[in-house]
Short mmCIF file of all heavy atoms in Angstrom, two decimals:
data_model
loop_
_atom_site.label_atom_id
_atom_site.label_comp_id
_atom_site.label_asym_id
_atom_site.label_seq_id
_atom_site.Cartn_x
_atom_site.Cartn_y
_atom_site.Cartn_z
N MET A 27 -49.10 -16.20 -65.12
CA MET A 27 -50.23 -15.75 -64.30
C MET A 27 -49.71 -15.08 -63.02
O MET A 27 -48.60 -15.38 -62.57
CB MET A 27 -51.14 -16.92 -63.95
CG MET A 27 -50.51 -17.97 -63.05
SD MET A 27 -51.57 -19.42 -62.74
CE MET A 27 -51.34 -20.35 -64.25
N PRO A 28 -50.51 -14.20 -62.43
CA PRO A 28 -50.12 -13.60 -61.16
C PRO A 28 -50.02 -14.67 -60.06
O PRO A 28 -50.68 -15.70 -60.12
CB PRO A 28 -51.26 -12.62 -60.86
CG PRO A 28 -51.96 -12.42 -62.16
CD PRO A 28 -51.79 -13.68 -62.93
N GLU A 29 -49.21 -14.40 -59.06
CA GLU A 29 -49.02 -15.35 -57.97
C GLU A 29 -50.34 -15.67 -57.26
O GLU A 29 -50.57 -16.81 -56.86
CB GLU A 29 -48.00 -14.79 -56.96
CG GLU A 29 -47.82 -15.63 -55.70
CD GLU A 29 -47.40 -17.06 -55.98
OE1 GLU A 29 -46.86 -17.34 -57.07
OE2 GLU A 29 -47.61 -17.90 -55.08
N ALA A 30 -51.20 -14.67 -57.11
CA ALA A 30 -52.48 -14.91 -56.45
C ALA A 30 -53.32 -15.94 -57.21
O ALA A 30 -53.97 -16.80 -56.61
CB ALA A 30 -53.25 -13.59 -56.32
N THR A 31 -53.31 -15.85 -58.54
CA THR A 31 -54.05 -16.81 -59.37
C THR A 31 -53.44 -18.19 -59.25
O THR A 31 -54.15 -19.20 -59.11
CB THR A 31 -54.05 -16.35 -60.84
OG1 THR A 31 -54.62 -15.05 -60.93
CG2 THR A 31 -54.85 -17.32 -61.70
N ARG A 32 -52.12 -18.26 -59.32
CA ARG A 32 -51.43 -19.56 -59.20
C ARG A 32 -51.74 -20.22 -57.86
O ARG A 32 -52.03 -21.41 -57.79
CB ARG A 32 -49.92 -19.36 -59.36
CG ARG A 32 -49.14 -20.69 -59.42
CD ARG A 32 -47.73 -20.53 -58.91
NE ARG A 32 -47.71 -20.21 -57.49
CZ ARG A 32 -47.86 -21.12 -56.53
NH1 ARG A 32 -48.06 -22.39 -56.81
NH2 ARG A 32 -47.83 -20.74 -55.25
N ARG A 33 -51.69 -19.41 -56.81
CA ARG A 33 -51.95 -19.95 -55.48
C ARG A 33 -53.39 -20.43 -55.35
O ARG A 33 -53.65 -21.49 -54.77
CB ARG A 33 -51.64 -18.89 -54.42
CG ARG A 33 -51.68 -19.42 -53.00
CD ARG A 33 -51.06 -18.44 -52.01
NE ARG A 33 -51.67 -17.13 -52.07
CZ ARG A 33 -51.06 -16.04 -52.54
NH1 ARG A 33 -49.81 -16.11 -52.99
NH2 ARG A 33 -51.67 -14.87 -52.55
N LEU A 34 -54.32 -19.68 -55.92
CA LEU A 34 -55.73 -20.07 -55.88
C LEU A 34 -55.95 -21.39 -56.61
O LEU A 34 -56.65 -22.28 -56.11
CB LEU A 34 -56.60 -18.97 -56.50
CG LEU A 34 -58.11 -19.24 -56.56
CD1 LEU A 34 -58.68 -19.39 -55.16
CD2 LEU A 34 -58.81 -18.13 -57.32
N LEU A 35 -55.34 -21.53 -57.78
CA LEU A 35 -55.49 -22.77 -58.54
C LEU A 35 -54.88 -23.94 -57.79
O LEU A 35 -55.43 -25.05 -57.78
CB LEU A 35 -54.82 -22.63 -59.92
CG LEU A 35 -55.55 -21.78 -60.95
CD1 LEU A 35 -54.70 -21.61 -62.18
CD2 LEU A 35 -56.90 -22.40 -61.32
N THR A 36 -53.73 -23.71 -57.16
CA THR A 36 -53.08 -24.77 -56.40
C THR A 36 -53.94 -25.19 -55.21
O THR A 36 -54.11 -26.38 -54.94
CB THR A 36 -51.70 -24.30 -55.89
OG1 THR A 36 -50.91 -23.92 -57.01
CG2 THR A 36 -51.00 -25.42 -55.13
N GLU A 37 -54.52 -24.22 -54.54
CA GLU A 37 -55.39 -24.53 -53.39
C GLU A 37 -56.64 -25.25 -53.85
O GLU A 37 -57.07 -26.23 -53.25
CB GLU A 37 -55.76 -23.25 -52.67
CG GLU A 37 -54.59 -22.61 -51.93
CD GLU A 37 -54.92 -21.22 -51.41
OE1 GLU A 37 -56.03 -20.73 -51.70
OE2 GLU A 37 -54.06 -20.64 -50.73
N GLU A 38 -57.22 -24.80 -54.95
CA GLU A 38 -58.46 -25.40 -55.44
C GLU A 38 -58.24 -26.82 -55.93
O GLU A 38 -59.12 -27.66 -55.79
CB GLU A 38 -59.06 -24.56 -56.56
CG GLU A 38 -59.66 -23.26 -56.09
CD GLU A 38 -60.27 -22.48 -57.24
OE1 GLU A 38 -59.94 -22.75 -58.40
OE2 GLU A 38 -61.09 -21.59 -56.95
N THR A 39 -57.07 -27.11 -56.49
CA THR A 39 -56.83 -28.45 -56.99
C THR A 39 -56.29 -29.37 -55.92
O THR A 39 -56.05 -30.53 -56.16
CB THR A 39 -55.86 -28.43 -58.18
OG1 THR A 39 -54.65 -27.79 -57.77
CG2 THR A 39 -56.45 -27.70 -59.37
N GLY A 40 -56.10 -28.86 -54.71
CA GLY A 40 -55.58 -29.69 -53.65
C GLY A 40 -56.64 -30.27 -52.74
O GLY A 40 -56.35 -31.11 -51.89
N THR A 41 -57.89 -29.82 -52.86
CA THR A 41 -58.97 -30.33 -52.03
C THR A 41 -60.17 -30.64 -52.90
O THR A 41 -60.34 -30.07 -53.97
CB THR A 41 -59.38 -29.29 -50.97
OG1 THR A 41 -59.79 -28.09 -51.64
CG2 THR A 41 -58.22 -28.97 -50.03
N PHE A 42 -61.02 -31.54 -52.41
CA PHE A 42 -62.18 -31.92 -53.20
C PHE A 42 -63.20 -30.80 -53.25
O PHE A 42 -63.58 -30.24 -52.23
CB PHE A 42 -62.85 -33.17 -52.65
CG PHE A 42 -64.11 -33.51 -53.40
CD1 PHE A 42 -64.04 -34.11 -54.64
CD2 PHE A 42 -65.35 -33.17 -52.89
CE1 PHE A 42 -65.19 -34.40 -55.36
CE2 PHE A 42 -66.50 -33.45 -53.60
CZ PHE A 42 -66.43 -34.07 -54.83
N GLN A 43 -63.66 -30.48 -54.46
CA GLN A 43 -64.76 -29.55 -54.69
C GLN A 43 -65.50 -30.04 -55.92
O GLN A 43 -64.94 -30.75 -56.74
CB GLN A 43 -64.26 -28.13 -54.94
CG GLN A 43 -63.57 -27.48 -53.75
CD GLN A 43 -63.20 -26.05 -54.10
OE1 GLN A 43 -63.83 -25.40 -54.91
NE2 GLN A 43 -62.16 -25.54 -53.46
N PRO A 44 -66.79 -29.65 -56.07
CA PRO A 44 -67.45 -29.95 -57.33
C PRO A 44 -66.64 -29.37 -58.48
O PRO A 44 -66.16 -28.24 -58.40
CB PRO A 44 -68.81 -29.24 -57.19
CG PRO A 44 -69.03 -29.16 -55.72
CD PRO A 44 -67.66 -28.97 -55.11
N VAL A 45 -66.48 -30.15 -59.54
CA VAL A 45 -65.60 -29.72 -60.63
C VAL A 45 -66.34 -28.78 -61.56
O VAL A 45 -67.08 -29.19 -62.46
CB VAL A 45 -65.06 -30.95 -61.40
CG1 VAL A 45 -64.13 -30.50 -62.53
CG2 VAL A 45 -64.33 -31.88 -60.46
N LYS A 46 -66.19 -27.48 -61.32
CA LYS A 46 -66.84 -26.46 -62.13
C LYS A 46 -66.13 -25.14 -61.90
O LYS A 46 -65.26 -25.03 -61.03
CB LYS A 46 -68.33 -26.34 -61.77
CG LYS A 46 -68.57 -25.94 -60.31
CD LYS A 46 -70.05 -25.91 -60.01
CE LYS A 46 -70.29 -25.51 -58.55
NZ LYS A 46 -71.72 -25.45 -58.22
N GLY A 47 -66.48 -24.13 -62.70
CA GLY A 47 -65.91 -22.80 -62.49
C GLY A 47 -64.51 -22.66 -63.05
O GLY A 47 -64.05 -23.44 -63.87
N SER A 48 -63.80 -21.63 -62.56
CA SER A 48 -62.46 -21.35 -63.06
C SER A 48 -61.50 -22.48 -62.70
O SER A 48 -61.62 -23.12 -61.66
CB SER A 48 -61.96 -20.03 -62.45
OG SER A 48 -61.87 -20.15 -61.05
N GLY A 49 -60.55 -22.72 -63.58
CA GLY A 49 -59.59 -23.80 -63.34
C GLY A 49 -60.22 -25.17 -63.45
O GLY A 49 -59.71 -26.14 -62.88
N TYR A 50 -61.30 -25.28 -64.22
CA TYR A 50 -62.04 -26.54 -64.33
C TYR A 50 -61.14 -27.71 -64.68
O TYR A 50 -61.17 -28.75 -64.02
CB TYR A 50 -63.15 -26.40 -65.38
CG TYR A 50 -63.76 -27.71 -65.81
CD1 TYR A 50 -64.79 -28.28 -65.08
CD2 TYR A 50 -63.28 -28.39 -66.93
CE1 TYR A 50 -65.34 -29.49 -65.45
CE2 TYR A 50 -63.82 -29.60 -67.30
CZ TYR A 50 -64.85 -30.14 -66.57
OH TYR A 50 -65.38 -31.36 -66.94
N ALA A 51 -60.34 -27.58 -65.73
CA ALA A 51 -59.53 -28.70 -66.20
C ALA A 51 -58.55 -29.17 -65.14
O ALA A 51 -58.38 -30.37 -64.91
CB ALA A 51 -58.78 -28.32 -67.48
N LEU A 52 -57.89 -28.23 -64.46
CA LEU A 52 -56.90 -28.61 -63.44
C LEU A 52 -57.57 -29.27 -62.24
O LEU A 52 -57.04 -30.23 -61.68
CB LEU A 52 -56.11 -27.37 -63.01
CG LEU A 52 -55.24 -26.74 -64.09
CD1 LEU A 52 -54.53 -25.51 -63.55
CD2 LEU A 52 -54.22 -27.73 -64.65
N LYS A 53 -58.73 -28.77 -61.84
CA LYS A 53 -59.46 -29.39 -60.74
C LYS A 53 -59.87 -30.81 -61.11
O LYS A 53 -59.77 -31.74 -60.31
CB LYS A 53 -60.71 -28.57 -60.41
CG LYS A 53 -60.45 -27.23 -59.77
CD LYS A 53 -61.78 -26.59 -59.41
CE LYS A 53 -61.83 -25.15 -59.88
NZ LYS A 53 -63.11 -24.50 -59.62
N ASN A 54 -60.35 -30.97 -62.34
CA ASN A 54 -60.78 -32.27 -62.82
C ASN A 54 -59.61 -33.27 -62.81
O ASN A 54 -59.75 -34.40 -62.33
CB ASN A 54 -61.35 -32.11 -64.24
CG ASN A 54 -61.97 -33.38 -64.77
OD1 ASN A 54 -61.29 -34.38 -64.94
ND2 ASN A 54 -63.26 -33.33 -65.04
N ILE A 55 -58.46 -32.83 -63.33
CA ILE A 55 -57.28 -33.69 -63.37
C ILE A 55 -56.84 -34.06 -61.96
O ILE A 55 -56.51 -35.22 -61.67
CB ILE A 55 -56.14 -33.00 -64.14
CG1 ILE A 55 -56.50 -32.93 -65.63
CG2 ILE A 55 -54.81 -33.72 -63.94
CD1 ILE A 55 -55.64 -31.99 -66.43
N ARG A 56 -56.82 -33.08 -61.07
CA ARG A 56 -56.41 -33.34 -59.69
C ARG A 56 -57.32 -34.37 -59.03
O ARG A 56 -56.85 -35.26 -58.32
CB ARG A 56 -56.40 -32.04 -58.88
CG ARG A 56 -56.02 -32.25 -57.41
CD ARG A 56 -54.60 -32.78 -57.29
NE ARG A 56 -54.29 -33.19 -55.94
CZ ARG A 56 -54.43 -34.43 -55.47
NH1 ARG A 56 -54.90 -35.37 -56.25
NH2 ARG A 56 -54.09 -34.73 -54.23
N GLU A 57 -58.62 -34.28 -59.28
CA GLU A 57 -59.55 -35.22 -58.69
C GLU A 57 -59.36 -36.63 -59.26
O GLU A 57 -59.44 -37.62 -58.53
CB GLU A 57 -60.99 -34.76 -58.91
CG GLU A 57 -61.47 -33.76 -57.89
CD GLU A 57 -61.27 -34.26 -56.48
OE1 GLU A 57 -61.90 -35.26 -56.09
OE2 GLU A 57 -60.46 -33.67 -55.76
N GLN A 58 -59.10 -36.72 -60.57
CA GLN A 58 -58.84 -38.03 -61.16
C GLN A 58 -57.62 -38.69 -60.53
O GLN A 58 -57.62 -39.88 -60.23
CB GLN A 58 -58.63 -37.89 -62.67
CG GLN A 58 -59.88 -37.53 -63.45
CD GLN A 58 -59.60 -37.56 -64.94
OE1 GLN A 58 -59.32 -38.61 -65.52
NE2 GLN A 58 -59.64 -36.39 -65.57
N ILE A 59 -56.55 -37.90 -60.35
CA ILE A 59 -55.33 -38.42 -59.73
C ILE A 59 -55.60 -38.82 -58.28
O ILE A 59 -55.18 -39.90 -57.83
CB ILE A 59 -54.19 -37.38 -59.82
CG1 ILE A 59 -53.78 -37.17 -61.27
CG2 ILE A 59 -52.98 -37.84 -58.98
CD1 ILE A 59 -52.76 -36.06 -61.48
N ARG A 60 -56.31 -37.97 -57.55
CA ARG A 60 -56.58 -38.25 -56.15
C ARG A 60 -57.38 -39.54 -55.99
O ARG A 60 -57.07 -40.39 -55.15
CB ARG A 60 -57.36 -37.09 -55.53
CG ARG A 60 -57.59 -37.22 -54.03
CD ARG A 60 -58.55 -36.16 -53.52
NE ARG A 60 -59.89 -36.38 -54.00
CZ ARG A 60 -60.76 -37.23 -53.45
NH1 ARG A 60 -60.40 -37.97 -52.41
NH2 ARG A 60 -61.98 -37.37 -53.94
N ILE A 61 -58.44 -39.69 -56.79
CA ILE A 61 -59.30 -40.86 -56.70
C ILE A 61 -58.56 -42.14 -57.08
O ILE A 61 -58.72 -43.19 -56.46
CB ILE A 61 -60.55 -40.67 -57.60
CG1 ILE A 61 -61.45 -39.58 -57.02
CG2 ILE A 61 -61.33 -41.98 -57.75
CD1 ILE A 61 -62.52 -39.11 -57.97
N THR A 62 -57.72 -42.05 -58.12
CA THR A 62 -57.05 -43.24 -58.65
C THR A 62 -55.78 -43.60 -57.90
O THR A 62 -55.52 -44.78 -57.62
CB THR A 62 -56.71 -43.03 -60.14
OG1 THR A 62 -57.90 -42.64 -60.84
CG2 THR A 62 -56.16 -44.31 -60.76
N TYR A 63 -54.97 -42.60 -57.54
CA TYR A 63 -53.64 -42.88 -56.98
C TYR A 63 -53.47 -42.44 -55.53
O TYR A 63 -52.56 -42.90 -54.85
CB TYR A 63 -52.57 -42.21 -57.85
CG TYR A 63 -52.63 -42.61 -59.30
CD1 TYR A 63 -53.10 -41.72 -60.27
CD2 TYR A 63 -52.24 -43.89 -59.71
CE1 TYR A 63 -53.17 -42.09 -61.60
CE2 TYR A 63 -52.31 -44.26 -61.04
CZ TYR A 63 -52.77 -43.36 -61.99
OH TYR A 63 -52.85 -43.72 -63.31
N GLY A 64 -54.30 -41.50 -55.06
CA GLY A 64 -54.20 -41.05 -53.68
C GLY A 64 -53.71 -39.62 -53.55
O GLY A 64 -53.26 -38.98 -54.51
#
């Protein structure tokens, strides 16, 4: 993927947002890890 896309996904999975839209699976996984492990 282009660097801009990678950076966007990394930013989106690093903060809480409603889990929807592009990168859904990665956001969902990041939130599960955050809630469970910190």
Side-chain angles (χ1 to χ4, degrees):
M27 66 184 79
E29 174 58 21
T31 302
R32 187 208 65 80
R33 189 167 55 249
L34 179 62
L35 286 173
T36 302
E37 290 170 356
E38 288 182 342
T39 57
T41 58
F42 176 77
Q43 294 183 28
V45 180
K46 60 183 180 179
S48 62
Y50 167 85
L52 295 178
K53 290 184 228 177
N54 187 297
I55 290 166
R56 178 63 189 94
E57 276 307 295
Q58 290 186 66
I59 293 174
R60 185 189 69 82
I61 291 167
T62 307
Y63 304 108

